[in-house]
Amino acid sequence: MKKITERFRQFYGKHTPSVKLPMVAAALIFCMIPLLIQSRVLSSSSRQQQIDRRIIDVQNQCQILSNKMSRGSYLTNSVVDNASLDSELSTLADIFNGRILIVNSGFRVVRDTFSLSEGKICISEEVIRCFQGESTNRYDTKRHYFILAIPIPEYVQSTGGFTAGKTAGVMLVTASTESMFELEESLNDRAALYQLMIFVVLSIVIFSVVHLLIRPFERLVASVGHVAEGNLDEDIAEDTYRETKEISGVINKTLDKLKSVEQSRQEFVSNVSHELKTPITSIRVLADSLMGMEEAPKELYQEFMQDISDEIDRESKIIDDLLNLVKMDKVSQENSFAPVQINGLVEMILKRLRPIARKRNIELIFESMREVTADIDEVKFSLAVNNLVENAVKYNREDGWVRVTLDADHKFFYLKVADSGIGIPKELTERVFERFYRVDKARSRETGGTGLGLAITKSVILLHHGAIRVESTEGEGTTFTVRIPLIYIP
Ligand code: ADP
């Protein structure tokens, strides 16, 4: 049994059946079962009716004959006198294909239409009950025959004429119903043939209907196949059924997402090439101009070499940022989350950035509301906080301030980095998280920005299952708020 199941599973795995098969089977079962039940019920009830009718028929005929026998004193007459009743008896037995025995009050068979038991004693249950005044009939369902016992009363002469007296004999009739069923069986065979024809016609009709019903799904598969070949711009619109409409909608949505991912990938690649090319172009221009100069002074050489060195630094920073970004995007197996004291970490980052802030006389303030320990990846989280504070300094005014606030509740800790800087135009606040996006390209370049800092920060925050929000007023300042769960659940 196990082997068969295994084989079936292997076959099923290799040859996935079409949905048409169960649909056709279900419809056929649904149509054929009532038909078969109906024909079975009809046939058995008609069989019972026929048997009942035959028994009544035979009973009536025999009753008439029994009366005749009674009136003609059959049981007491001689054989010669009974000749006409005997022939009637034989004819009746022939008509319903049966056997009739006439038994007298001594249980002796006086007449047998088969001439086999005459003179013999017959003490059957039916005969005894009939002598006791009960006329009986019994049907043998297994052997398909019925037995009737009809009383032959004594004919008594009274003042008003003749009346029936006590039972003087019994007419015992046995008749087979086999011939009736032969006819029925041939009818059944014909019915089976009709049923087979109905089955074939129904199968063809149901298969055609199912085929028509399934067509929209087949069209849908064909359209998706077309898209899978690379025609991403094709719209899938199979609106015949609600289901196909819903599937089409979901596929179109997925396609839109795919398209936007593809578009952003292309944009990213072209941005990366552009960003990487810019310093190289500058280096080339600087080098070419140096080579084109005959006997340039040493100071000019030094100045140009310094510029070339700055461009190389910039190129290397872009590459570092890109590598950081790629690391964040990779499925994070390399993350090492561990409980870290956040207050100390933020203080260390601010300490590192203080010299840069001091250059422009920017005050770096740290407000810690409580001691916070959380599960974080220390290296990546430091990078994110560093980017936020560095930006707050970079995009600040002379003599400005940067305020970093750390707070927590029972689930999250909150890090706020607010500055008194140039701010971001309202409509651009969400775009600053895009890769290579810079509000003011020239200024960002001046300050050594790559346009990747906030993209890296957002990736890090998402890696920690956190969220980042920005609020800004142009000319007044910007506040970035980060929310991170205290406990990291992978
Ligand atoms: P960049 O390397 O240019 O700083 P980021 O991704 O860190 O790139 O930031 C993207 C852009 O968002 C910046 O170019 C700048 O225009 C803007 N920005 C980021 N932080 C601030 C801030 N604190 N104040 C004003 N503008 C900011």
Side-chain angles (χ1 to χ4, degrees), residues 50-165:
Q50 279 184 62
I51 292 167
D52 292 346
R53 219 177 296 138
R54 168 63 67 96
I55 291 174
I56 290 169
D57 203 21
V58 171
Q59 208 163 12
N60 287 343
Q61 304 266 4
C62 290
Q63 194 63 56
I64 293 166
L65 196 63
S66 145
N67 286 343
K68 273 189 191 171
M69 284 174 160
S70 182
R71 232 178 283 136
S73 308
Y74 181 89
L75 289 163
T76 48
N77 282 346
S78 65
V79 177
V80 182
D81 295 336
N82 284 342
S84 85
L85 280 170
D86 279 344
S87 86
E88 261 188 69
L89 210 57
S90 302
T91 317
L92 188 62
D94 285 346
I95 288 171
F96 55 77
N97 198 19
R99 178 183 184 182
I100 302 176
L101 299 181
I102 306 293
V103 181
N104 67 13
S105 54
F107 295 101
R108 193 171 292 280
V109 177
V110 292
R111 174 86 175 104
D112 176 6
T113 52
F114 281 10
S115 308
L116 293 172
S117 307
E118 277 167 16
K120 289 184 183 159
I121 298 293
C122 170
I123 314 174
S124 75
E125 191 196 332
E126 286 79 15
V127 173
I128 294 169
R129 276 165 61 185
C130 195
F131 273 121
Q132 284 165 355
E134 272 177 62
S135 72
T136 53
N137 72 51
R138 179 167 67 81
Y139 182 65
D140 191 322
T141 41
K142 269 193 201 132
R143 283 181 283 172
H144 305 298
Y145 73 92
F146 61 84
I147 299 177
L148 287 178
I150 293 154
I152 306 170
E154 200 177 337
Y155 214 54
V156 187
Q157 199 169 12
S158 65
T159 44
F162 287 98
T163 52

Side-chain angles (χ1 to χ4, degrees), residues 317-335:
K317 188 165 184 339
I318 295 173
I319 291 170
D320 282 348
D321 276 358
L322 276 172
L323 287 176
N324 275 329
L325 202 60
V326 170
K327 253 192 254 162
M328 299 312 154
D329 282 352
K330 253 200 230 162
V331 183
S332 35
Q333 321 114 321
E334 296 159 24
N335 301 327

Side-chain angles (χ1 to χ4, degrees), residues 225-407:
H226 209 228
V227 169
E229 279 165 15
N231 305 300
L232 287 189
D233 289 328
E234 202 161 289
D235 211 29
I236 291 174
E238 187 50 65
D239 297 346
T240 318
Y241 303 129
R242 200 182 59 211
E243 287 78 4
T244 53
K245 200 173 169 179
E246 278 171 11
I247 296 173
S248 301
V250 172
I251 295 174
N252 284 333
K253 232 187 211 172
T254 315
L255 277 178
D256 287 346
K257 256 199 190 138
L258 262 178
K259 276 187 245 171
S260 85
V261 167
E262 175 62 16
Q263 202 183 342
S264 84
R265 192 187 67 86
Q266 278 177 7
E267 260 170 36
F268 181 62
V269 170
S270 94
N271 282 342
V272 168
S273 331
H274 180 257
E275 295 296 329
L276 289 177
K277 246 178 127 184
T278 316
I280 290 176
T281 315
S282 303
I283 293 168
R284 159 153 246 147
V285 170
L286 287 164
D288 281 354
S289 3
L290 265 186
M291 280 192 294
M293 279 185 230
E294 276 176 24
E295 292 178 21
K298 192 180 161 208
E299 294 77 34
L300 199 69
Y301 259 105
Q302 272 175 341
E303 195 191 324
F304 272 42
M305 287 315 277
Q306 181 58 51
D307 288 348
I308 288 175
S309 167
D310 288 348
E311 289 302 329
I312 290 171
D313 281 348
R314 186 171 162 68
E315 181 88 12
S316 136
K317 188 165 184 339
I318 295 173
I319 291 170
D320 282 348
D321 276 358
L322 276 172
L323 287 176
N324 275 329
L325 202 60
V326 170
K327 253 192 254 162
M328 299 312 154
D329 282 352
K330 253 200 230 162
V331 183
S332 35
Q333 321 114 321
E334 296 159 24
N335 301 327
S336 46
F337 283 84
V340 174
Q341 218 254 344
I342 308 294
N343 309 62
L345 185 85
V346 174
E347 249 168 277
M348 216 169 66
I349 294 166
L350 293 184
K351 198 175 159 194
R352 249 190 274 137
L353 290 170
R354 236 168 224 127
I356 309 171
R358 213 171 291 135
K359 272 188 200 165
R360 297 174 60 209
N361 201 24
I362 293 166
E363 195 186 358
L364 271 188
I365 310 151
F366 180 39
E367 279 176 12
S368 172
M369 302 299 181
R370 63 194 76 230
E371 287 289 305
V372 179
T373 303
D375 293 343
I376 56 157
D377 181 314
E378 193 172 342
V379 176
K380 287 175 183 156
F381 185 72
S382 303
L383 187 65
V385 178
N386 193 82
N387 283 346
L388 289 177
V389 182
E390 205 182 332
N391 276 353
V393 174
K394 271 197 311 190
Y395 302 103
N396 217 320
R397 56 177 166 81
E398 294 280 327
D399 310 319
W401 52 262
V402 173
R403 186 178 293 116
V404 180
T405 319
L406 179 66
D407 199 359

